[in-house]
Amino acid sequence: MIDRITELREQALAELRALGRVEEIEPWRIKYLGKKGAVTSILRQLGALPPDERRAVGQVANETKTLLEAQLAQKENELKEAARAQAMERERIDVTLPGRPLALGQVHPTTRVLREILDAFVIMGFQIVEGPEVEWDYYNFEALNIPKDHPARDMWDTFYVSPDGRPGEMLLRTHTSPNQVRVMEKTRPPVRVVVPGKCYRYEAIDPSHESMFYQVEGLAIGTNITFADMKGTLSAFARMLFGGERKVRFRCDYFPFVEPGVDMSIDCYVCKGAGCRLCGNTGWLEIMGAGMVHPKELERVGYDPAVYTGFAFGLGPERIAMLKYGIDDIRLFYSNDLRFLQQFR
Ligand code: PHE
């Protein structure tokens, strides 16, 4: 009897070892340890044995049962673990695959030049401030000595918006100069500001005219500020942007809010003044308008013109960018053509 049990045990263990899948476990259990299983039926037969034999056989049979149960549990764990590992392997994601590249943009040429311009003035002690793009007629014109019937209004035809009850009083600013007045109304001298921002004009659009463009306004007010200070500041600026060897030229020009008014040019850095296509054979490139702030404008904001003087200037970053990069059409800046924009990396 004991030999039969030993034989049965070895057979059961061999079969168990050979199992490869979790689903095969249960049939094996039923076969050996189930209610009608081989080991169970041996245990049942114990009662029929003579008592002396029963003890020895019973011990071996019970040990076998315990052994098989333990082996079964272990095998079941092994197979489940293997199945889990297989599933993991199947669902594995290869995180080392390269991602899809993101299209990287770059700074717009206007922004790029705007930053250069502002940096140059910040180095010289100017603060950056901003003002509204939708402006009152008062700040854009009246406060700058350009009354309703003044012919100078022709220089700045614009887009009017009509707020309730105040037709013709609100417009898209044609220049950043209204901020001269806005800044002075809010502060006392000394004033050193640059004001970047978008401006709008009702223009016949061509290679050098757009209906939307940027300007940078500058304003310096204090005691003892002279025309020479203006020339020095603007010359230093021109050399920072266009090279230390640049010559500058100031000529009389008219803007109602400055007296005297000038335009500033740099000598053409392509032909060094000899005359070429870029400078239209003049040898000079005009880069901004400027002048000493008009006493009437100072009075209007409560600055005593006998005590305070100062200068203002205005320039167009697109024009500066065109000169710096040899761009011949201002319309390229805002027509969203990537072939143009991607050149400024
Ligand atoms: N605002 C003037 C323009 O748009 C430029 C300017 C600014 C001139 C400041 C003189 C002083 O043409």
Side-chain angles (χ1 to χ4, degrees), residues 144 155-156 174-178 180 199 201 213 215-218 254-255 257-258 261-262 288-292 311-315:
L144 295 171
M155 275 164 74
W156 294 288
T174 60
H175 50 182
T176 42
S177 299
Q180 295 178 18
C199 303
R201 285 184 201 176
F213 54 93
Q215 276 196 348
V216 175
E217 191 78 12
Y254 173 66
F255 302 96
F257 36 92
V258 286
V262 295
M288 71 171 97
M292 300 305 287
F311 60 88
F313 53 91
L315 63 143

Side-chain angles (χ1 to χ4, degrees), residues 37-69:
V39 178
T40 319
S41 55
I42 286 175
L43 287 169
R44 283 228 182 86
Q45 291 165 29
L46 288 181
L49 294 175
D52 52 340
E53 222 180 305
R54 192 191 303 161
R55 244 189 111 242
V57 176
Q59 198 186 344
V60 175
N62 273 316
E63 276 168 11
T64 299
K65 186 180 179 222
T66 312
L67 173 76
L68 291 183
E69 277 170 350

